[in-house]
Amino acid sequence: MKKETVLQFAVLCGVPFVMVLGNSMLIPVFPQMKQAMNLTQFQVGLIITFFSLPAGILIPFTGSLSDNYGRKIIIVPALFLYGIGGLVSGFAALLLDNPFSLLLAGRVLQGLGAGGTYQLAMALTGDIFQSKERVKALGLLEAANGLGKVISPILGALTAVIAWFAPFFLYSVVTFPIALGVWFLVKEPENTTTKESFGQYWQELCNVFRQKGTVLLASYFSGMTALFTLFGVMSWVSDILESDYHIFGITKGFVLAIPVTAMAICSYLCGTWLTKNMNFCKATIITGTSLAAVILISLPLFTNIYLFMTLLLFLGISIGIVLPPVNYIITGAAKADKRGIVTSLYGTVRFFGVAIGPPLFGIALKYGRWIMLGGAAAVSAAAAIIGLFFITTPQQQE
Protein backbone atom coordinates (compact mmCIF):
# COMPACT_ATOMS: atom_id res chain seq x y z
CA MET A 1 0.00 0.00 0.00
CA LYS A 2 1.38 3.40 -0.99
CA LYS A 3 2.34 5.76 1.84
CA GLU A 4 0.02 8.52 0.62
CA THR A 5 -2.98 6.23 0.87
CA VAL A 6 -2.29 4.84 4.36
CA LEU A 7 -3.89 7.75 6.25
CA GLN A 8 -7.02 7.96 4.12
CA PHE A 9 -7.46 4.20 4.29
CA ALA A 10 -7.08 4.30 8.09
CA VAL A 11 -9.97 6.78 8.13
CA LEU A 12 -12.04 4.50 5.88
CA CYS A 13 -11.41 1.59 8.29
CA GLY A 14 -13.13 3.67 10.95
CA VAL A 15 -16.39 3.48 8.98
CA PRO A 16 -17.05 -0.28 9.39
CA PHE A 17 -15.76 -0.05 12.95
CA VAL A 18 -18.39 2.49 14.03
CA MET A 19 -21.16 0.73 12.12
CA VAL A 20 -20.63 -2.43 14.17
CA LEU A 21 -21.17 -0.39 17.35
CA GLY A 22 -24.77 0.24 16.24
CA ASN A 23 -26.19 -2.89 17.87
CA SER A 24 -23.36 -4.74 19.57
CA MET A 25 -22.47 -1.92 21.97
CA LEU A 26 -25.99 -1.85 23.43
CA ILE A 27 -26.55 -5.57 24.02
CA PRO A 28 -24.69 -5.68 27.38
CA VAL A 29 -26.77 -2.71 28.59
CA PHE A 30 -30.20 -4.22 27.82
CA PRO A 31 -30.94 -5.31 31.41
CA GLN A 32 -30.31 -1.75 32.64
CA MET A 33 -32.46 -0.28 29.87
CA LYS A 34 -35.25 -2.71 30.65
CA GLN A 35 -35.24 -1.72 34.31
CA ALA A 36 -34.80 2.04 33.78
CA MET A 37 -37.63 2.37 31.24
CA ASN A 38 -39.83 -0.43 32.66
CA LEU A 39 -39.82 -2.33 29.37
CA THR A 40 -40.82 -5.83 28.40
CA GLN A 41 -38.32 -8.12 26.69
CA PHE A 42 -40.13 -7.53 23.40
CA GLN A 43 -39.78 -3.75 23.77
CA VAL A 44 -36.08 -4.08 24.48
CA GLY A 45 -35.74 -6.03 21.25
CA LEU A 46 -37.30 -3.13 19.36
CA ILE A 47 -34.17 -1.10 20.13
CA ILE A 48 -32.36 -3.44 17.74
CA THR A 49 -35.24 -3.75 15.26
CA PHE A 50 -35.73 0.01 14.84
CA PHE A 51 -32.06 0.31 13.90
CA SER A 52 -31.73 -2.76 11.71
CA LEU A 53 -34.79 -2.46 9.48
CA PRO A 54 -34.13 1.08 8.19
CA ALA A 55 -30.48 0.22 7.59
CA GLY A 56 -31.26 -2.92 5.62
CA ILE A 57 -33.95 -1.24 3.53
CA LEU A 58 -31.86 1.85 2.71
CA ILE A 59 -28.57 0.17 1.78
CA PRO A 60 -29.37 -0.51 -1.92
CA PHE A 61 -30.66 3.04 -2.44
CA THR A 62 -27.53 4.64 -0.99
CA GLY A 63 -25.46 2.42 -3.28
CA SER A 64 -27.37 3.66 -6.30
CA LEU A 65 -27.02 7.29 -5.20
CA SER A 66 -23.29 6.87 -4.65
CA ASP A 67 -22.84 5.55 -8.19
CA ASN A 68 -24.60 8.64 -9.53
CA TYR A 69 -23.27 11.37 -7.24
CA GLY A 70 -20.14 10.01 -5.54
CA ARG A 71 -19.28 8.00 -2.43
CA LYS A 72 -18.19 10.73 -0.01
CA ILE A 73 -21.26 12.90 -0.54
CA ILE A 74 -23.36 9.97 0.73
CA ILE A 75 -21.01 8.54 3.38
CA VAL A 76 -20.31 11.77 5.27
CA PRO A 77 -23.95 12.92 5.80
CA ALA A 78 -24.84 9.32 6.68
CA LEU A 79 -22.17 9.26 9.40
CA PHE A 80 -23.42 12.56 10.82
CA LEU A 81 -27.01 11.24 10.80
CA TYR A 82 -25.79 8.12 12.61
CA GLY A 83 -24.20 10.25 15.33
CA ILE A 84 -27.15 12.64 15.56
CA GLY A 85 -29.49 9.69 16.04
CA GLY A 86 -27.38 8.62 19.00
CA LEU A 87 -27.67 12.12 20.48
CA VAL A 88 -31.46 12.08 20.04
CA SER A 89 -31.70 8.77 21.91
CA GLY A 90 -29.24 9.89 24.58
CA PHE A 91 -30.92 13.25 25.29
CA ALA A 92 -34.33 11.58 25.30
CA ALA A 93 -33.12 9.26 28.06
CA LEU A 94 -31.42 12.12 29.92
CA LEU A 95 -34.27 14.64 29.83
CA LEU A 96 -37.57 12.76 29.60
CA ASP A 97 -39.44 10.70 32.17
CA ASN A 98 -40.75 8.37 29.44
CA PRO A 99 -38.05 8.42 26.77
CA PHE A 100 -38.76 5.16 24.97
CA SER A 101 -40.65 6.50 21.94
CA LEU A 102 -38.15 9.27 21.21
CA LEU A 103 -35.29 6.87 21.89
CA LEU A 104 -36.69 4.59 19.17
CA ALA A 105 -36.95 7.59 16.82
CA GLY A 106 -33.26 8.22 17.42
CA ARG A 107 -32.54 4.60 16.60
CA VAL A 108 -34.41 4.97 13.29
CA LEU A 109 -32.17 7.94 12.44
CA GLN A 110 -29.13 5.87 13.31
CA GLY A 111 -30.35 3.04 11.11
CA LEU A 112 -30.89 5.40 8.18
CA GLY A 113 -27.34 6.65 8.67
CA ALA A 114 -25.94 3.12 8.92
CA GLY A 115 -27.47 2.35 5.52
CA GLY A 116 -24.92 4.64 3.86
CA THR A 117 -21.72 3.61 5.59
CA TYR A 118 -19.80 0.33 5.42
CA GLN A 119 -20.83 -0.88 1.96
CA LEU A 120 -19.99 2.48 0.43
CA ALA A 121 -16.65 2.47 2.23
CA MET A 122 -16.09 -0.91 0.57
CA ALA A 123 -17.03 0.54 -2.81
CA LEU A 124 -14.77 3.58 -2.28
CA THR A 125 -11.93 1.23 -1.34
CA GLY A 126 -12.56 -0.60 -4.60
CA ASP A 127 -12.34 2.73 -6.43
CA ILE A 128 -9.10 3.82 -4.76
CA PHE A 129 -7.14 0.58 -4.82
CA GLN A 130 -6.41 -1.38 -7.95
CA SER A 131 -5.94 -5.11 -8.61
CA LYS A 132 -3.62 -6.73 -6.03
CA GLU A 133 -3.77 -3.92 -3.48
CA ARG A 134 -7.56 -4.08 -3.46
CA VAL A 135 -7.90 -7.53 -1.91
CA LYS A 136 -5.50 -6.61 0.91
CA ALA A 137 -7.37 -3.36 1.56
CA LEU A 138 -10.72 -5.18 1.64
CA GLY A 139 -9.25 -7.69 4.09
CA LEU A 140 -8.26 -4.78 6.33
CA LEU A 141 -11.78 -3.35 6.11
CA GLU A 142 -13.18 -6.72 7.16
CA ALA A 143 -10.66 -6.86 10.01
CA ALA A 144 -11.80 -3.40 11.19
CA ASN A 145 -15.38 -4.67 11.11
CA GLY A 146 -14.30 -7.70 13.17
CA LEU A 147 -12.39 -5.51 15.62
CA GLY A 148 -15.56 -3.54 16.19
CA LYS A 149 -17.41 -6.78 16.97
CA VAL A 150 -14.75 -7.66 19.55
CA ILE A 151 -14.55 -4.26 21.26
CA SER A 152 -18.16 -3.03 21.13
CA PRO A 153 -19.69 -5.18 23.94
CA ILE A 154 -16.79 -4.30 26.25
CA LEU A 155 -17.04 -0.63 25.26
CA GLY A 156 -20.79 -0.61 25.90
CA ALA A 157 -20.44 -2.22 29.33
CA LEU A 158 -17.68 0.18 30.36
CA THR A 159 -19.55 3.29 29.14
CA ALA A 160 -22.74 2.19 30.90
CA VAL A 161 -20.89 2.49 34.24
CA ILE A 162 -21.44 6.26 33.86
CA ALA A 163 -25.16 5.87 33.06
CA TRP A 164 -27.24 3.35 31.14
CA PHE A 165 -27.80 5.87 28.34
CA ALA A 166 -24.16 6.99 28.07
CA PRO A 167 -23.41 4.64 25.12
CA PHE A 168 -25.83 6.66 22.97
CA PHE A 169 -23.66 9.75 23.40
CA LEU A 170 -20.54 7.78 22.54
CA TYR A 171 -21.84 7.25 19.00
CA SER A 172 -21.39 10.93 18.15
CA VAL A 173 -18.03 11.18 19.94
CA VAL A 174 -16.64 8.40 17.77
CA THR A 175 -18.51 9.06 14.52
CA PHE A 176 -18.20 12.83 13.98
CA PRO A 177 -14.36 12.85 13.76
CA ILE A 178 -14.46 9.94 11.31
CA ALA A 179 -17.01 11.79 9.14
CA LEU A 180 -14.75 14.84 9.03
CA GLY A 181 -11.76 12.64 8.26
CA VAL A 182 -13.54 11.03 5.31
CA TRP A 183 -14.50 14.43 3.92
CA PHE A 184 -11.13 16.17 4.29
CA LEU A 185 -8.58 13.34 4.07
CA VAL A 186 -9.99 10.73 1.69
CA LYS A 187 -9.46 11.55 -1.98
CA GLU A 188 -12.22 10.14 -4.14
CA PRO A 189 -10.99 9.14 -7.62
CA GLU A 190 -12.44 10.99 -10.58
CA ASN A 191 -14.63 9.42 -13.24
CA THR A 192 -16.18 6.84 -10.92
CA THR A 193 -19.75 8.12 -11.20
CA THR A 194 -22.29 7.51 -13.93
CA LYS A 195 -23.94 10.29 -15.91
CA GLU A 196 -26.79 8.10 -17.07
CA SER A 197 -30.47 8.68 -16.42
CA PHE A 198 -32.20 6.57 -13.80
CA GLY A 199 -33.65 4.25 -16.44
CA GLN A 200 -30.31 3.86 -18.21
CA TYR A 201 -28.55 3.20 -14.91
CA TRP A 202 -30.87 0.36 -13.93
CA GLN A 203 -30.72 -1.07 -17.43
CA GLU A 204 -26.93 -1.21 -17.18
CA LEU A 205 -27.20 -2.74 -13.70
CA CYS A 206 -29.43 -5.46 -15.13
CA ASN A 207 -26.74 -6.05 -17.74
CA VAL A 208 -24.16 -6.49 -14.96
CA PHE A 209 -26.32 -9.20 -13.38
CA ARG A 210 -27.02 -10.83 -16.73
CA GLN A 211 -23.30 -11.08 -17.35
CA LYS A 212 -22.08 -11.86 -13.82
CA GLY A 213 -25.22 -12.59 -11.85
CA THR A 214 -24.25 -16.21 -11.20
CA VAL A 215 -20.91 -15.40 -9.59
CA LEU A 216 -22.40 -12.44 -7.71
CA LEU A 217 -25.32 -14.41 -6.26
CA ALA A 218 -23.03 -17.31 -5.32
CA SER A 219 -20.65 -14.87 -3.61
CA TYR A 220 -23.55 -13.12 -1.85
CA PHE A 221 -24.70 -16.49 -0.52
CA SER A 222 -21.23 -17.36 0.77
CA GLY A 223 -20.90 -14.05 2.61
CA MET A 224 -24.42 -14.27 4.04
CA THR A 225 -23.84 -17.85 5.20
CA ALA A 226 -20.62 -16.90 6.99
CA LEU A 227 -22.31 -14.16 9.03
CA PHE A 228 -25.50 -16.18 9.56
CA THR A 229 -23.32 -18.91 11.07
CA LEU A 230 -21.23 -16.56 13.22
CA PHE A 231 -24.11 -14.67 14.81
CA GLY A 232 -26.33 -17.74 15.16
CA VAL A 233 -23.64 -19.73 16.92
CA MET A 234 -22.56 -16.82 19.12
CA SER A 235 -26.13 -16.18 20.31
CA TRP A 236 -26.39 -19.86 21.32
CA VAL A 237 -22.93 -19.94 22.93
CA SER A 238 -23.75 -16.82 24.94
CA ASP A 239 -26.54 -18.77 26.65
CA ILE A 240 -24.72 -22.05 27.26
CA LEU A 241 -21.62 -20.36 28.68
CA GLU A 242 -23.83 -19.37 31.60
CA SER A 243 -26.17 -22.37 31.81
CA ASP A 244 -23.67 -25.17 31.10
CA TYR A 245 -20.30 -23.75 32.05
CA HIS A 246 -21.22 -21.11 34.65
CA ILE A 247 -19.16 -18.39 32.98
CA PHE A 248 -20.55 -14.90 33.58
CA GLY A 249 -19.84 -11.18 33.23
CA ILE A 250 -16.63 -9.84 31.78
CA THR A 251 -15.08 -13.32 31.72
CA LYS A 252 -17.92 -14.42 29.45
CA GLY A 253 -17.31 -11.39 27.23
CA PHE A 254 -13.66 -12.30 26.74
CA VAL A 255 -14.53 -15.94 26.05
CA LEU A 256 -17.04 -14.84 23.40
CA ALA A 257 -14.35 -12.63 21.89
CA ILE A 258 -12.14 -15.64 21.06
CA PRO A 259 -13.81 -16.73 17.77
CA VAL A 260 -14.54 -13.15 16.70
CA THR A 261 -10.92 -12.13 17.29
CA ALA A 262 -9.77 -15.15 15.28
CA MET A 263 -12.10 -14.08 12.48
CA ALA A 264 -10.74 -10.51 12.45
CA ILE A 265 -7.09 -11.62 12.45
CA CYS A 266 -7.65 -14.20 9.73
CA SER A 267 -9.53 -11.66 7.58
CA TYR A 268 -6.44 -9.46 7.65
CA LEU A 269 -3.96 -12.29 7.06
CA CYS A 270 -6.07 -13.84 4.32
CA GLY A 271 -6.47 -10.50 2.56
CA THR A 272 -2.70 -9.98 2.72
CA TRP A 273 -1.97 -13.46 1.36
CA LEU A 274 -4.50 -13.16 -1.46
CA THR A 275 -2.79 -9.97 -2.60
CA LYS A 276 -0.17 -12.19 -4.24
CA ASN A 277 -2.36 -15.23 -4.75
CA MET A 278 -5.60 -13.93 -6.26
CA ASN A 279 -6.13 -17.12 -8.24
CA PHE A 280 -6.86 -18.86 -4.93
CA CYS A 281 -9.94 -16.74 -4.10
CA LYS A 282 -12.37 -19.46 -5.13
CA ALA A 283 -10.41 -22.21 -3.38
CA THR A 284 -10.25 -20.12 -0.21
CA ILE A 285 -14.03 -19.63 -0.14
CA ILE A 286 -14.65 -23.34 -0.67
CA THR A 287 -12.11 -24.25 2.03
CA GLY A 288 -13.60 -21.86 4.57
CA THR A 289 -17.23 -22.87 4.05
CA SER A 290 -16.32 -26.59 4.04
CA LEU A 291 -14.31 -26.23 7.25
CA ALA A 292 -17.22 -24.39 8.87
CA ALA A 293 -19.58 -27.25 7.95
CA VAL A 294 -17.26 -29.85 9.52
CA ILE A 295 -16.83 -27.80 12.70
CA LEU A 296 -20.57 -27.17 13.09
CA ILE A 297 -21.49 -30.84 12.83
CA SER A 298 -18.68 -31.69 15.30
CA LEU A 299 -19.63 -29.20 18.03
CA PRO A 300 -22.23 -31.40 19.81
CA LEU A 301 -19.56 -34.09 20.31
CA PHE A 302 -17.47 -31.93 22.63
CA THR A 303 -18.56 -30.83 26.09
CA ASN A 304 -15.17 -30.03 27.60
CA ILE A 305 -14.95 -26.23 27.63
CA TYR A 306 -11.40 -26.12 26.28
CA LEU A 307 -12.10 -28.45 23.37
CA PHE A 308 -15.40 -26.69 22.71
CA MET A 309 -13.76 -23.25 22.57
CA THR A 310 -10.95 -24.63 20.40
CA LEU A 311 -13.56 -25.66 17.84
CA LEU A 312 -15.13 -22.19 18.05
CA LEU A 313 -11.69 -20.69 17.49
CA PHE A 314 -11.40 -22.68 14.25
CA LEU A 315 -14.94 -21.67 13.31
CA GLY A 316 -13.84 -18.04 13.58
CA ILE A 317 -10.83 -18.85 11.38
CA SER A 318 -13.03 -20.52 8.76
CA ILE A 319 -15.33 -17.49 8.58
CA GLY A 320 -12.38 -15.10 8.55
CA ILE A 321 -10.89 -16.67 5.44
CA VAL A 322 -14.19 -16.62 3.54
CA LEU A 323 -15.00 -12.92 3.74
CA PRO A 324 -11.97 -11.20 2.08
CA PRO A 325 -12.12 -13.21 -1.19
CA VAL A 326 -15.91 -12.78 -1.30
CA ASN A 327 -15.48 -9.02 -0.86
CA TYR A 328 -12.86 -8.92 -3.59
CA ILE A 329 -14.92 -10.90 -6.09
CA ILE A 330 -17.97 -8.69 -5.52
CA THR A 331 -16.14 -5.36 -5.75
CA GLY A 332 -14.32 -6.53 -8.87
CA ALA A 333 -17.43 -7.82 -10.64
CA ALA A 334 -18.63 -4.39 -11.72
CA LYS A 335 -17.05 -1.23 -13.06
CA ALA A 336 -16.63 1.72 -10.73
CA ASP A 337 -19.88 3.41 -11.78
CA LYS A 338 -21.92 0.34 -10.74
CA ARG A 339 -19.79 -0.80 -7.81
CA GLY A 340 -21.80 1.10 -5.21
CA ILE A 341 -25.09 -0.68 -5.88
CA VAL A 342 -23.41 -4.09 -6.28
CA THR A 343 -21.62 -3.83 -2.93
CA SER A 344 -24.68 -2.32 -1.27
CA LEU A 345 -26.85 -5.24 -2.33
CA TYR A 346 -24.20 -7.44 -0.76
CA GLY A 347 -24.50 -5.32 2.39
CA THR A 348 -28.24 -5.96 2.53
CA VAL A 349 -27.63 -9.70 2.17
CA ARG A 350 -25.01 -9.62 4.94
CA PHE A 351 -27.41 -7.69 7.15
CA PHE A 352 -30.08 -10.28 6.44
CA GLY A 353 -27.70 -13.08 7.44
CA VAL A 354 -26.90 -11.37 10.74
CA ALA A 355 -30.59 -10.69 11.41
CA ILE A 356 -31.90 -14.21 10.80
CA GLY A 357 -29.05 -16.14 12.45
CA PRO A 358 -29.99 -15.84 16.15
CA PRO A 359 -33.78 -16.37 15.78
CA LEU A 360 -33.40 -19.34 13.41
CA PHE A 361 -30.83 -20.96 15.68
CA GLY A 362 -33.23 -20.37 18.58
CA ILE A 363 -36.13 -22.03 16.75
CA ALA A 364 -33.98 -24.99 15.67
CA LEU A 365 -32.65 -25.47 19.20
CA LYS A 366 -36.14 -26.54 20.29
CA TYR A 367 -35.52 -29.71 18.28
CA GLY A 368 -32.09 -30.31 19.79
CA ARG A 369 -28.49 -29.27 19.27
CA TRP A 370 -27.91 -31.86 16.55
CA ILE A 371 -30.76 -30.46 14.47
CA MET A 372 -29.66 -26.88 15.01
CA LEU A 373 -25.98 -27.40 14.25
CA GLY A 374 -26.63 -30.01 11.58
CA GLY A 375 -28.90 -27.59 9.76
CA ALA A 376 -26.26 -24.86 9.97
CA ALA A 377 -23.63 -27.31 8.71
CA ALA A 378 -25.88 -28.16 5.76
CA VAL A 379 -26.16 -24.47 4.86
CA SER A 380 -22.36 -24.06 4.98
CA ALA A 381 -21.91 -27.22 2.90
CA ALA A 382 -24.38 -25.83 0.38
CA ALA A 383 -22.33 -22.62 0.19
CA ALA A 384 -19.21 -24.70 -0.50
CA ILE A 385 -20.94 -26.67 -3.28
CA ILE A 386 -22.42 -23.52 -4.84
CA GLY A 387 -18.99 -21.89 -4.68
CA LEU A 388 -17.41 -24.89 -6.38
CA PHE A 389 -19.74 -24.75 -9.36
CA PHE A 390 -20.64 -21.08 -9.72
CA ILE A 391 -17.84 -18.87 -8.34
CA THR A 392 -15.09 -18.02 -10.80
CA THR A 393 -11.62 -16.72 -10.01
CA PRO A 394 -11.57 -12.95 -10.47
CA GLN A 395 -9.40 -11.48 -13.18
CA GLN A 396 -7.65 -8.16 -13.06
CA GLN A 397 -10.29 -5.76 -14.37
CA GLU A 398 -8.72 -2.35 -14.10
Side-chain angles (χ1 to χ4, degrees):
M1 190 178 294
K2 298 177 183 178
K3 291 182 179 179
E4 60 267 24
T5 61
V6 171
L7 178 59
Q8 59 179 325
F9 183 66
V11 173
L12 279 178
C13 282
V15 178
F17 176 83
V18 298
M19 194 196 79
V20 172
L21 301 182
N23 284 328
S24 301
M25 192 169 69
L26 299 180
I27 290 173
V29 196
F30 276 0
Q32 293 168 264
M33 293 182 180
K34 185 177 179 181
Q35 182 179 7
M37 293 186 284
N38 193 27
L39 303 178
T40 65
Q41 192 63 42
F42 172 76
Q43 288 174 313
V44 170
L46 292 179
I47 296 173
I48 297 294
T49 303
F50 275 60
F51 174 90
S52 302
L53 284 180
I57 292 169
L58 196 64
I59 283 172
F61 296 100
T62 57
S64 173
L65 289 172
S66 79
D67 283 336
N68 280 276
Y69 301 105
R71 317 292 186 214
K72 286 170 55 174
I73 202 170
I74 306 299
I75 294 173
V76 173
L79 286 170
F80 275 108
L81 186 61
Y82 182 93
I84 290 168
L87 290 177
V88 170
S89 295
F91 278 114
L94 177 65
L95 302 175
L96 301 179
D97 292 331
N98 298 299
F100 186 59
S101 296
L102 190 56
L103 185 147
L104 290 181
R107 292 292 286 164
V108 170
L109 291 178
Q110 283 195 287
L112 293 173
T117 52
Y118 178 32
Q119 287 68 40
L120 298 192
M122 187 187 299
L124 184 52
T125 299
D127 297 339
I128 294 172
F129 296 97
Q130 305 301 313
S131 61
K132 293 183 178 181
E133 274 196 327
R134 181 182 294 158
V135 67
K136 181 178 180 180
L138 291 169
L140 284 168
L141 272 187
E142 198 63 62
N145 184 280
L147 180 64
K149 290 183 175 72
V150 174
I151 292 177
S152 54
I154 300 170
L155 194 60
L158 289 175
T159 310
V161 171
I162 302 170
W164 67 265
F165 50 81
F168 290 110
F169 290 101
L170 187 62
Y171 288 120
S172 59
V173 172
V174 175
T175 304
F176 290 166
I178 292 174
L180 293 172
V182 171
W183 187 257
F184 290 108
L185 298 177
V186 176
K187 297 179 180 179
E188 186 168 1
E190 297 179 359
N191 301 320
T192 58
T193 57
T194 179
K195 304 302 180 184
E196 300 165 334
S197 68
F198 184 81
Q200 291 172 322
Y201 173 84
W202 284 101
Q203 181 61 44
E204 287 297 318
L205 179 63
C206 289
N207 290 336
V208 170
F209 274 88
R210 272 194 289 268
Q211 295 169 10
K212 299 186 178 180
T214 301
V215 66
L216 280 172
L217 292 175
S219 300
Y220 286 173
F221 184 70
S222 295
M224 184 189 77
T225 298
L227 293 172
F228 163 81
T229 301
L230 177 68
F231 280 84
V233 168
M234 296 305 288
S235 65
W236 167 62
V237 171
S238 180
D239 288 334
I240 66 169
L241 284 179
E242 294 188 3
S243 61
D244 294 8
Y245 299 105
H246 309 292
I247 298 174
F248 301 92
I250 240 169
T251 303
K252 173 185 165 184
F254 280 105
V255 171
L256 287 172
I258 292 172
V260 182
T261 303
M263 183 195 73
I265 293 172
C266 286
S267 288
Y268 168 71
L269 294 177
C270 182
T272 301
W273 180 74
L274 287 173
T275 301
K276 298 180 179 180
N277 300 276
M278 287 186 293
N279 288 335
F280 288 92
C281 281
K282 175 177 178 175
T284 304
I285 294 170
I286 295 169
T287 300
T289 49
S290 299
L291 179 61
V294 172
I295 292 169
L296 288 164
I297 201 65
S298 303
L299 276 174
L301 298 172
F302 297 88
T303 56
N304 178 276
I305 183 63
Y306 298 106
L307 294 175
F308 183 77
M309 291 310 301
T310 299
L311 278 182
L312 287 181
L313 171 70
F314 280 101
L315 182 64
I317 291 172
S318 70
I319 293 170
I321 66 175
V322 167
L323 295 174
V326 168
N327 293 350
Y328 177 69
I329 289 170
I330 290 170
T331 56
K335 295 180 181 179
D337 63 351
K338 301 296 181 300
R339 188 171 290 136
I341 185 63
V342 168
T343 58
S344 291
L345 288 171
Y346 175 47
T348 294
V349 170
R350 281 172 62 117
F351 216 98
F352 186 62
V354 172
I356 65 175
L360 285 185
F361 269 66
I363 292 170
L365 185 58
K366 296 178 181 179
Y367 302 96
R369 293 184 181 184
W370 281 104
I371 297 295
M372 177 185 71
L373 294 169
V379 175
S380 289
I385 293 169
I386 290 171
L388 176 64
F389 287 103
F390 298 110
I391 290 179
T392 55
T393 301
Q395 303 296 321
Q396 184 172 328
Q397 298 184 38
E398 294 177 272

